[in-house]
Amino acid sequence: MVCVIFASYLFSVNYNLNYMVITVALNAFTSSSLAAIAPIISNILTIVLVPFFAKFSDVIGRAEVITIALLFQVVGYSVQTSSNNFEQITIGGLVASIGSTGYSCLQAVIIAVSPLWYLQRKGERTLGGRPRRTLSWLWQQFDFVGAILLAATLSLLFFPLITASTHEDNFKNPLIIGCLCAGAVALIVLLVWNAKYTTKPMLPKRIWSDRTVMGAICGSIVSSMMVSMNYTYFYNYLVVTRKIDYPRAFLLARGYQMAFYIIAPITGLLMRKFMTTRRFIWIGLIIQTIGTIIMIPARLPGSSDFFVVASQAVVGLGDGMTSLAAMVSITGSVHRRDYAMAISVNLMLTAVIGSIAGTVAGSVWTQVLPQRLKHHIVGEYDELQIMNNADFVKSLSEPMYSQVVAAYGDAQKILSIISASLVVIAGLFTLMMKKVDLSLDHDAQDAKFGGVEVSKEDAEVCHEKMEAINEKEK
């Protein structure tokens, strides 16, 4: 447990560091307007691979899967380090995202189930040894066809919305139209597959039919959507509108992370004291709503640095409280056999919404910013350089520089207004939640959400299936 928590801390440092460095690299490659693509790739991989990693760990072991995941990250970062263009750095990010997805999934599962290891040993003595799970079992348990269809659907629908402005005729370009049409077809095929053919849907009924679990998940993911949308282009925006370098822009945005990590343990102690979660989800959303509204004027080009930092900190306090309380609500509303699945569903849906948020942010930025540039700038200008190269913008003379800053401010304001609206939607989802009883110990929680009889039934069914599989393999 100590090792996993320490590794999670390092993983968080690594994630935030890489997220900032990528912004600098995209600017160097004159590709700043395409910043939303990398997070969307990561989110699509998360959607597809989270359930796979959760089940694959039952075949070869959780520590082994974490090791494989970290190796993918090392390889991906090595590719990114040696990149010379946008395509190479994107490929490296794709490989690294495979690893980060595996680690983020497994570390959450391990933290959730580690205190229960003795219960598992007790169950094995009572019900018999745990059957060995094989690759054949993995093939039966994981919906590979559904995963491929889902990845294809999201890729074909999302990427054209961001890259359309880079093609001739924008959305009238045949390639963009073809991708969107293919995505629509893939979506129909995916829905038919899930409705009629798959026996192991990626979102099990026992999870999505639980009001408390889905309320907590939906509230958490919509809140995460706000963060994704509001920060995709934020660093580049600060550099352009305030004529500062990237290190200073990173410092201005750190208020969010600082407040998030401070409030998380405090929220945990408060939940333990008052034995409730919903109260802290709602308080967190209220704080986040206030902070997001404050962000609208705080992010205007002429606002003070203190106003920028303070608004980030307020949102971080709210999001940190909401995220932790939502995760406790999720794990406190299911039988322990569903911990991994509930956490996986949360990560999957967060990735889906994150992809949508990134797509909206990318579409708004690449479609609205050119329009605002035409509105504000008098005379000829290089649109490609203005949208993708912060150093070029800072070198512009007046009055063109002020005109560009006004256009950037308009685009950022639209993103901030959309983000503020999303927090309100997140609050509506949490209204469906029931009270989570944190006074229950693990045995009482298992009895409430399944009990010993269900555990015995699951073990017997699993044992019968494994015997049949082993017979076929012989």
Side-chain angles (χ1 to χ4, degrees):
M1 175 68 82
V2 173
C3 290
V4 170
I5 292 176
F6 183 67
S8 298
Y9 169 78
L10 294 178
F11 181 81
S12 177
V13 174
N14 157 73
Y15 174 83
N16 284 284
L17 178 62
N18 184 65
Y19 186 79
M20 292 185 293
V21 169
I22 288 298
T23 304
V24 181
L26 292 177
N27 181 69
F29 297 147
T30 318
S31 303
S32 295
S33 65
L34 301 178
I37 289 182
I40 291 177
I41 292 175
S42 177
N43 286 327
I44 290 176
L45 288 173
T46 298
I47 297 164
V48 174
L49 294 177
V50 158
F52 172 79
F53 276 121
K55 296 182 183 299
F56 188 45
S57 65
D58 289 333
V59 177
I60 68 172
R62 286 168 180 157
E64 290 79 0
V65 171
I66 285 180
T67 302
I68 294 173
L70 294 178
L71 287 175
F72 269 101
Q73 280 193 278
V74 171
V75 172
Y77 290 150
S78 298
V79 173
Q80 287 186 317
T81 303
S82 59
S83 298
N84 294 310
N85 53 52
F86 174 76
E87 290 76 14
Q88 292 175 0
I89 202 168
T90 302
I91 292 173
L94 187 150
V95 176
S97 294
I98 295 175
S100 63
T101 297
Y103 184 80
S104 61
C105 172
L106 268 298
Q107 62 95 7
V109 172
I110 289 176
I111 290 175
V113 303
S114 287
L116 304 177
W117 65 271
Y118 64 95
L119 293 177
Q120 180 180 342
R121 297 294 181 269
K122 182 179 179 181
E124 289 178 354
R125 289 194 296 271
T126 303
L127 303 174
R130 183 181 180 181
R132 180 176 64 88
R133 290 177 173 175
T134 64
L135 293 176
S136 299
W137 173 86
L138 178 64
W139 179 260
Q140 289 187 356
Q141 295 293 312
F142 182 69
D143 184 9
F144 286 95
V145 175
I148 294 172
L149 287 173
L150 181 58
T153 300
L154 296 177
S155 299
L156 291 169
L157 290 177
F158 290 167
F159 290 138
L161 297 178
I162 300 174
T163 60
S165 62
T166 64
H167 291 77
E168 186 178 356
D169 295 329
N170 209 324
F171 282 105
K172 296 180 181 179
N173 187 282
L175 179 61
I176 298 299
I177 296 174
C179 287
L180 292 174
C181 292
V185 172
L187 177 61
I188 295 172
V189 175
L190 174 63
L191 295 176
V192 172
W193 171 261
N194 283 328
K196 293 188 175 182
Y197 299 103
T198 184
T199 58
K200 294 291 180 181
M202 300 178 74
L203 182 59
K205 182 179 179 180
R206 67 177 183 272
I207 299 297
W208 60 257
S209 61
D210 188 294
R211 284 174 48 192
T212 303
V213 173
M214 289 309 298
I217 289 177
C218 290
S220 177
I221 62 179
V222 176
S223 177
S224 299
M225 182 179 182
M226 182 280 299
V227 176
S228 298
M229 182 177 298
N230 225 4
Y231 283 88
T232 302
Y233 295 97
F234 186 46
Y235 298 121
N236 196 59
Y237 172 77
L238 289 176
V239 171
V240 168
T241 59
R242 295 173 185 268
K243 278 195 174 181
I244 58 177
D245 56 14
Y246 279 101
R248 182 165 179 77
F250 298 150
L251 289 176
L252 288 176
R254 289 305 89 190
Y256 172 85
Q257 284 78 7
M258 178 192 69
F260 188 103
Y261 294 127
I262 289 175
I263 198 63
I266 295 175
T267 302
L269 293 174
L270 291 174
M271 285 192 294
R272 182 178 180 181
K273 177 178 177 60
F274 295 104
M275 293 297 175
T276 183
T277 59
R278 288 189 305 176
R279 186 182 307 171
F280 295 102
I281 292 177
W282 292 334
I283 293 174
L285 286 173
I286 292 172
I287 296 173
Q288 198 171 355
T289 302
I290 295 172
T292 310
I293 294 174
I294 293 174
M295 272 187 179
I296 297 174
R299 291 191 172 190
L300 294 177
S303 64
S304 67
D305 289 352
F306 173 80
F307 200 11
V308 174
V309 175
S311 65
Q312 313 307 312
V314 174
V315 174
L317 287 173
D319 193 30
M321 183 175 289
T322 299
S323 298
L324 183 64
M327 181 59 73
V328 174
S329 298
I330 293 168
T331 56
S333 303
V334 296
H335 189 280
R336 64 187 175 92
R337 72 180 188 278
D338 289 329
Y339 274 6
M341 181 56 67
I343 292 172
S344 297
V345 169
N346 183 44
L347 290 173
M348 284 172 56
L349 293 181
T350 299
V352 171
I353 297 299
S355 298
I356 296 174
T359 302
V360 173
S363 182
V364 168
W365 197 261
T366 57
Q367 298 295 324
V368 172
L369 183 55
Q371 296 175 8
R372 302 314 298 169
L373 289 172
K374 292 179 181 178
H375 175 77
H376 286 286
I377 298 179
V378 178
E380 296 182 355
Y381 60 93
D382 189 335
E383 181 180 296
L384 178 64
Q385 290 291 335
I386 288 176
M387 291 186 61
N388 293 281
N389 192 331
D391 293 330
F392 175 82
V393 176
K394 289 192 293 183
S395 67
L396 293 173
S397 58
E398 293 291 351
M400 183 172 288
Y401 171 74
S402 297
Q403 294 167 353
V404 171
V405 168
Y408 266 76
D410 290 349
Q412 178 60 48
K413 187 176 182 179
I414 292 175
L415 289 177
S416 297
I417 293 173
I418 296 174
S419 299
S421 304
L422 291 173
V423 182
V424 178
I425 297 175
L428 295 177
F429 278 118
T430 62
L431 295 177
M432 70 174 70
M433 294 175 59
K434 298 179 182 178
K435 181 180 179 181
V436 179
D437 191 354
L438 297 183
S439 64
L440 298 177
D441 59 19
H442 290 301
D443 288 326
Q445 182 174 324
D446 284 352
K448 181 177 180 180
F449 296 107
V452 178
E453 295 301 322
V454 173
S455 298
K456 288 182 179 180
E457 181 182 349
D458 289 346
E460 291 171 358
V461 171
C462 183
H463 187 67
E464 291 175 0
K465 289 184 177 180
M466 289 308 303
E467 283 185 341
I469 292 173
N470 290 333
E471 286 295 326
K472 290 181 180 180
E473 290 179 346
K474 291 179 181 179

